[in-house]
């Protein structure tokens, strides 16, 4: 059997179409440190508001709005609240 298309240079499982290569994202050290610090701050804030804030000793005063807003998330993540 003879094929009408030559298959030279084609290997099994090779992708068909133009090859596209993406360059890695390179950030300056100061910008990377700012992203890391911002992410850590956001994670700590999320941990506080979901896991710690229960109204009685809230940084927002004697207010239960944050506690009630994240109530179901607290149970889903395993934090006790009642």
């Amino acid at each position: 059997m003879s094929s009408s298309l030559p298959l030279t240079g084609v290997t099994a499982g090779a992708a068909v179409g133009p090859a596209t290569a993406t360059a890695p994202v390179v950030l300056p050290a100061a910008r990377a440190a700012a992203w890391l610090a911002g992410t850590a701050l956001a994670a700590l804030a999320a941990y506080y508001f979901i896991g710690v804030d229960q109204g009685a000793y809230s940084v927002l005063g004697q207010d239960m709005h944050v506690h009630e807003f994240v109530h179901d998330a607290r149970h889903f993540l395993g934090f006790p609240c009642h």
Side-chain angles (χ1 to χ4, degrees):
M1 291 177 116
S2 175
S3 174
S4 62
L5 296 174
L7 297 177
T8 58
V10 176
T11 60
V16 177
T20 57
T22 58
V25 176
V26 179
L27 296 176
R31 191 167 179 195
W35 269 99
L36 181 61
T39 302
L41 184 63
L44 287 172
Y47 178 77
Y48 173 77
F49 286 117
I50 293 175
V52 177
D53 185 43
Q54 293 195 28
Y57 47 91
S58 172
V59 295
L60 303 174
Q62 300 290 345
D63 190 14
M64 294 293 287
H65 284 93
V66 173
H67 173 83
E68 293 301 325
F69 183 72
V70 296
H71 191 148
D72 292 335
R74 293 174 64 88
H75 288 295
F76 179 73
L77 295 172
F79 288 101
C81 62
H82 53 82

